C-alpha cells in the first residue's frame, strides 16, 4: 500500500475542495460566529491526543462549528443545535479531527509536504477571498485575522488540511478500475427485466382452515422440535404481561380550557359514573355520552390492552381496578374519563408444555393454508401454460353490469387476486426482486428468459406462493457501451475510492494511539477528562 502511495506522489490535487474548506472556516469563525466569540476554554485544554500530539479544545470547537455550519448550509435554519446533538454531530467532529491528525502524521512519515506555492494556490482559488472573481489580499487578511488572530495561524491550519488531502489523493489514485469491471457494471445496469406476478397470500386462508383435535395431537407428537423452536423464538408471546379490557366514557376538554370548562366536563363524567353505580348499563351510557368516535358506537369498548398503550393516568386507573369495577373521573390530555373494567388477564409465564397444543394448532393451520395456497397457485400456472393470460385468469373487480357478462374475480379467502408489477430491475440487484424480496430461483429464471414469457414454476415467498411471467426483457446493447463507458468508470472509481479510504483509515486508526477527552464530545468541557484509548 505504501509503495502505491509513493508511486503516486505527484498526483494533481483538487483545489476546489480547499476553497470549500476555506469558505466554511471563514463563515464559521468570522466575526459574530460561535467559533470566534464562544470559545469556552484555553488552548491548553486538550480534546484529544494522537500518538502523543495534542489537539486543543479550541481546535475541536472550530471543527465542530465548521461541521455544524456545513450541515446548516445544506438543511437550512431548521438544522438546530438540538438536532445536531441528536445526530451525534460532536462525535463526528471529534472523529474527523482525530483522523485529520492521523493523516498529517502519515504525510510526515511518507515524506509528503505542502509547499508554500501549493498553499498560496489553494487560498487564491477560494471564492471566499475574491472580489469580482479576483483574489483580494485585504479581504483575506481581515477574514482570517478575525477568525484566527493572524494569517500565519490560518495558513498553518490550511497547510495541515492540505497535507491530509494530499495523502487521501494519493490513496484515491490507487483505486484503479479494470476494463472488465467497467464492462460488467455496464451489463449489470442494462440487463433488466420487468415481471408481472400474482401472489397467493397464506394469511387469506388461515381463518378458513379447520383442524380436528386428533390432527393437533398427531402434529404435536410428530413436530415436537419445531414446536419447541417456535416457543423459544417467541418469548414475549408466552411471557404474558397483565392486560385489561375496559369501556370508557370520554368527555373531551382541551388542556387550554378554562377552569369552568374543565369543571363542566368533569361533572358530566361524574354523572355518568353515578348512573353506572346505580346499575345502569355502562355500554348504553357510553353510546349516549362518550365523545370518543373510535369506541362510542361499540359501547365505549376499548378491547384488550397492556402496559404502555394508554395514557398513563388512564392506564394506572384501569390496572388498579378489579374486573367489573368502575374508576374515575380520570383526567388525561384528551379530557375526562369514566372507566369500567370488563375483564382482567393476570400476568403469566406460559410453560412450553401448556403452550404446545396452541402452537401445534397454529403451525398446523399454517401448513394446511400454505398447501392450499400452493394448490391454487399450481392450478393457475397450469391454466396459464395452456395459453390463458393473467388478465383472463385474474380479471378486475367487475361492476354490476359487467358481472352478468364476464367472469367473477378470483378470490383466495376474502381477498381478490390481481396481478402486480415489479417495475424494471437489473441483474445487479441479485437476488432481490422488487415487491417480492430475495428470491434466487425466481431471479435466475427471470434473467434466463429471452423475452416476455411465463416462468415455469410456483415460487414460495414468506407471504405466500407466487406465479409470475416476464413482462419485458431488456439486454445490454454493445453498441452503446462506448458512449456510456466514462460515466460507468467514474461511478465505479468513486465507489472504490470511498471503500479504500474507509478501510485504510480504519487500519491507521487501529494502529494509532488515540486518547479522546470524552467531556468535549459530551459538550461539557468542564468535566474531569475521560480518556478513551
Amino acid at each position: 500500500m505504501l509503495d502505491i502511495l509513493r508511486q503516486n506522489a505527484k498526483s494533481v490535487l483538487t483545489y476546489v475542495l480547499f476553497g470549500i474548506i476555506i469558505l466554511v472556516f471563514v463563515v464559521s469563525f468570522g466575526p459574530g460566529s460561535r467559533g470566534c466569540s464562544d470559545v469556552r476554554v484555553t488552548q491548553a485544554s486538550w480534546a484529544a491526543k494522537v500518538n502523543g500530539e495534542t489537539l486543543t479544545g479550541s481546535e475541536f470547537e472550530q471543527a465542530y462549528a465548521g461541521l455544524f455550519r456545513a450541515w446548516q448550509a445544506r438543511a437550512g435554519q431548521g438544522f438546530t443545535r438540538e438536532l445536531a446533538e441528536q445526530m451525534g454531530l460532536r462525535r463526528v467532529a471529534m472523529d474527523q479531527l482525530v483522523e485529520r491528525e492521523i493523516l498529517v502524521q502519515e504525510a510526515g512519515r511518507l515524506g509528503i509536504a505542502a509547499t508554500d506555492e501549493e498553499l498560496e494556490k489553494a487560498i487564491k482559488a477560494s471564492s471566499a477571498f475574491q472580489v469580482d472573481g479576483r483574489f483580494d489580499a485585504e479581504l483575506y487578511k481581515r477574514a482570517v485575522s478575525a477568525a484566527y488572530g493572524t494569517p500565519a495561524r490560518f495558513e498553518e491550519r490550511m497547510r495541515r488540511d492540505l497535507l491530509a488531502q494530499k495523502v487521501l489523493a494519493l490513496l484515491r489514485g490507487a483505486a484503479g478500475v479494470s476494463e472488465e469491471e467497467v464492462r460488467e457494471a455496464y451489463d449489470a445496469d442494462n440487463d433488466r427485466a420487468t415481471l408481472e406476478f400474482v401472489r397467493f397470500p397464506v394469511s387469506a386462508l388461515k381463518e378458513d382452515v379447520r383442524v380436528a383435535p386428533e390432527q393437533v395431537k398427531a402434529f404435536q407428537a410428530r413436530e415436537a422440535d419445531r414446536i419447541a423452536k417456535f416457543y423459544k423464538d417467541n418469548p414475549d408471546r408466552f411471557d404474558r404481561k397483565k392486560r385489561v379490557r375496559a369501556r370508557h366514557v370520554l368527555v373531551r376538554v382541551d388542556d387550554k380550557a378554562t377552569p369552568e370548562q374543565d369543571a363542566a366536563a368533569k361533572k358530566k363524567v361524574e354523572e355518568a359514573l353515578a348512573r353506572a353505580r346505580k346499575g345502569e348499563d355502562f355500554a348504553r351510557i357510553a353510546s349516549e355520552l362518550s365523545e370518543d368516535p373510535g369506541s362510542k358506537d361499540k359501547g365505549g369498548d376499548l378491547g384488550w390492552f397492556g402496559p404502555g398503550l394508554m395514557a398513563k393516568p388512564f392506564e394506572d386507573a384501569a390496572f388498579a381496578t378489579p374486573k367489573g369495577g368502575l374508576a374515575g373521573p380520570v383526567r388525561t390530555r384528551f379530557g375526562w374519563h369514566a372507566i369500567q373494567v370488563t375483564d382482567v388477564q393476570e400476568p403469566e409465564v406460559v410453560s412450553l408444555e401448556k403452550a404446545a397444543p396452541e402452537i401445534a394448532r397454529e403451525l398446523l393451520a399454517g401448513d394446511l393454508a400454505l398447501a392450499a395456497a400452493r394448490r391454487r397457485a399450481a392450478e393457475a400456472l397450469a391454466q396459464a401454460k395452456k395459453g390463458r393470460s393473467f388478465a383472463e385468469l385474474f380479471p378486475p373487480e367487475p361492476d354490476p353490469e359487467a358481472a352478468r357478462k364476464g367472469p367473477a374475480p378470483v378470490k383466495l379467502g376474502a381477498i381478490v387476486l390481481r396481478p402486480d408489477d415489479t417495475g424494471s430491475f437489473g441483474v445487479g440487484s441479485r437476488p432481490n426482486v422488487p415487491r417480492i424480496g430475495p428470491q434466487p430461483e425466481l431471479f435466475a429464471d427471470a434473467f434466463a428468459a429471452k423475452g416476455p414469457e411465463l416462468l415455469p414454476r410456483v415460487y414460495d415467498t414468506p407471504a405466500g406462493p407466487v406465479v409470475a411471467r416476464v413482462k419485458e426483457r431488456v439486454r445490454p446493447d454493445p453498441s452503446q457501451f462506448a458512449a456510456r463507458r466514462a460515466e460507468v468508470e467514474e461511478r465505479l472509481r468513486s465507489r472504490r475510492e470511498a471503500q479504500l479510504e474507509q478501510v485504510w483509515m480504519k487500519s491507521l486508526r487501529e494502529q494509532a494511539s488515540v486518547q479522546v477527552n470524552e467531556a468535549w464530545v459530551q459538550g461539557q468541557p468542564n468535566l474531569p477528562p475521560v480518556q478513551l484509548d
Side-chain angles (χ1 to χ4, degrees):
M1 174 63 71
L2 296 181
D3 290 339
I4 294 173
L5 292 179
R6 292 187 183 100
Q7 290 167 11
N8 289 276
K10 295 183 180 179
S11 298
V12 177
L13 295 174
T14 52
Y15 287 107
V16 174
L17 177 61
F18 301 113
I20 295 171
I21 293 171
I22 295 168
L23 181 61
V24 170
F25 288 157
V26 173
V27 171
S28 300
F29 310 123
S33 70
R34 186 171 184 229
C36 180
S37 62
D38 190 27
V39 175
R40 293 178 288 179
V41 295
T42 67
Q43 288 282 341
S45 298
W46 66 276
K49 296 180 181 180
V50 180
N51 296 324
E53 292 293 328
T54 297
L55 304 176
T56 66
S58 49
E59 281 183 282
F60 170 76
E61 282 295 330
Q62 289 173 346
Y64 174 68
L67 187 61
F68 177 86
R69 299 284 183 178
W71 271 91
Q72 195 172 60
R74 285 188 289 176
Q77 292 302 313
F79 188 78
T80 62
R81 294 201 177 274
E82 290 73 22
L83 183 56
E85 295 299 320
Q86 293 174 20
M87 290 174 54
L89 206 63
R90 297 183 72 87
R91 174 73 63 187
V92 175
M94 181 64 79
D95 288 341
Q96 290 182 353
L97 186 66
V98 167
E99 288 176 4
R100 188 198 67 170
E101 178 60 30
I102 290 173
L103 289 171
V104 169
Q105 293 181 18
E106 186 68 7
R109 195 174 72 82
L110 294 171
I112 298 170
T115 66
D116 292 344
E117 291 78 11
E118 288 172 329
L119 180 61
E120 180 181 355
K121 186 174 180 180
I123 291 172
K124 287 184 175 180
S126 172
S127 60
F129 306 131
Q130 293 178 1
V131 176
D132 297 329
R134 297 176 63 85
F135 177 72
D136 188 313
E138 289 303 317
L139 171 63
Y140 168 71
K141 289 178 182 177
R142 288 197 306 271
V144 300
S145 294
Y148 286 87
T150 66
R153 289 180 182 172
F154 171 75
E155 288 162 12
E156 177 58 27
R157 172 65 181 270
M158 274 299 301
R159 193 183 298 273
R160 294 173 70 78
D161 285 327
L162 198 58
L163 285 171
Q165 290 300 323
K166 289 186 82 169
V167 174
L168 289 179
L170 299 180
L171 178 68
R172 291 167 187 148
V177 179
S178 70
E179 186 71 13
E180 182 182 359
E181 290 172 315
V182 176
R183 170 67 76 170
E184 288 178 356
Y186 171 78
D187 289 346
D189 287 345
N190 294 280
D191 194 0
R192 308 188 69 79
T194 301
L195 302 184
E196 184 179 31
F197 68 94
V198 178
R199 181 183 281 115
F200 294 75
V202 174
S203 59
L205 295 174
K206 279 186 177 179
E207 292 184 3
D208 296 336
V209 171
R210 298 291 180 266
V211 293
E214 56 272 19
Q215 290 178 291
V216 174
K217 287 183 180 179
F219 184 93
Q220 190 174 339
R222 185 173 68 249
E223 300 285 355
D225 290 345
R226 187 177 168 195
I227 291 169
K229 184 177 186 304
F230 184 94
Y231 180 87
K232 181 180 178 181
D233 292 344
N234 296 273
D236 292 343
R237 178 167 168 180
F238 302 105
D239 183 4
R240 296 173 179 169
K241 309 301 181 185
K242 181 176 181 178
R243 297 195 306 160
V244 301
R245 184 166 189 171
R247 299 179 184 273
H248 80 139
V249 172
L250 168 64
V251 178
R252 291 187 176 276
V253 58
D254 192 270
D255 285 338
K256 298 179 181 177
T258 65
E260 292 77 15
Q261 290 171 325
D262 191 74
K266 183 179 181 183
K267 184 177 180 181
K268 288 182 182 179
V269 168
E270 289 172 338
E271 291 170 352
L273 285 167
R275 289 168 59 182
R277 289 187 179 108
K278 290 178 181 178
E280 192 171 341
D281 182 51
F282 192 94
R284 187 169 68 181
I285 298 171
S287 298
E288 176 188 336
L289 299 178
S290 183
E291 297 174 7
D292 176 12
S295 66
K296 177 182 176 71
D297 295 339
K298 298 184 290 186
D301 186 18
L302 296 168
W304 288 96
F305 57 90
L309 293 180
M310 297 294 180
K312 192 66 167 60
F314 188 102
E315 177 187 302
D316 290 345
F319 273 65
T321 303
K323 179 179 178 179
L326 298 169
V330 175
R331 183 68 159 91
T332 71
R333 67 180 186 276
F334 303 106
W336 286 97
H337 305 258
I339 304 170
Q340 182 190 51
V341 174
T342 57
D343 208 347
V344 175
Q345 176 186 288
E346 296 297 339
E348 177 187 14
V349 177
V350 182
S351 67
L352 172 59
E353 182 181 3
K354 184 175 180 180
E358 175 189 341
I359 298 172
R361 181 176 289 101
E362 181 175 334
L363 293 177
L364 177 57
D367 288 354
L368 295 175
L370 175 59
R374 284 173 175 163
R375 284 195 302 271
R376 294 290 300 278
E379 291 167 4
L381 180 61
Q383 290 294 315
K385 286 180 177 179
K386 291 177 181 178
R388 297 189 67 188
S389 69
F390 277 20
E392 292 175 311
L393 288 169
F394 308 101
E397 185 87 54
D399 57 38
E401 181 65 24
R404 292 195 294 269
K405 302 175 183 178
V410 179
K411 289 188 174 183
L412 194 68
I415 296 177
V416 175
L417 298 182
R418 293 192 179 91
D420 201 349
D421 193 298
T422 62
S424 177
F425 62 101
V427 71
S429 66
R430 184 187 308 271
N432 187 61
V433 180
R435 303 185 63 80
I436 295 177
Q439 290 294 321
E441 289 186 349
L442 174 56
F443 192 97
D445 288 349
F447 282 93
K450 294 180 171 56
E453 61 182 68
L454 182 71
L455 294 182
R457 68 187 96 178
V458 173
Y459 304 91
D460 279 331
T461 77
V466 162
V467 173
R469 74 177 188 89
V470 177
K471 187 176 179 180
E472 184 180 26
R473 185 74 175 86
V474 178
R475 294 183 178 277
D477 183 352
S479 67
Q480 296 296 314
F481 174 68
R484 297 282 307 282
R485 185 191 177 287
E487 171 195 336
V488 176
E489 182 180 13
E490 178 60 29
R491 173 164 52 83
L492 287 181
R493 188 183 299 278
S494 295
R495 184 186 306 160
R496 181 156 299 173
E497 286 175 356
Q499 293 170 343
L500 189 59
E501 181 178 326
Q502 183 179 17
V503 171
W504 192 59
M505 279 305 312
K506 182 174 183 291
S507 173
L508 285 179
R509 183 150 187 171
E510 288 174 349
Q511 296 171 33
S513 171
V514 177
Q515 294 176 295
V516 172
N517 188 340
E518 194 70 12
W520 282 98
V521 177
Q522 295 173 9
Q524 302 178 52
N526 293 325
L527 291 177
V530 178
Q531 300 184 20
L532 301 178
D533 292 331

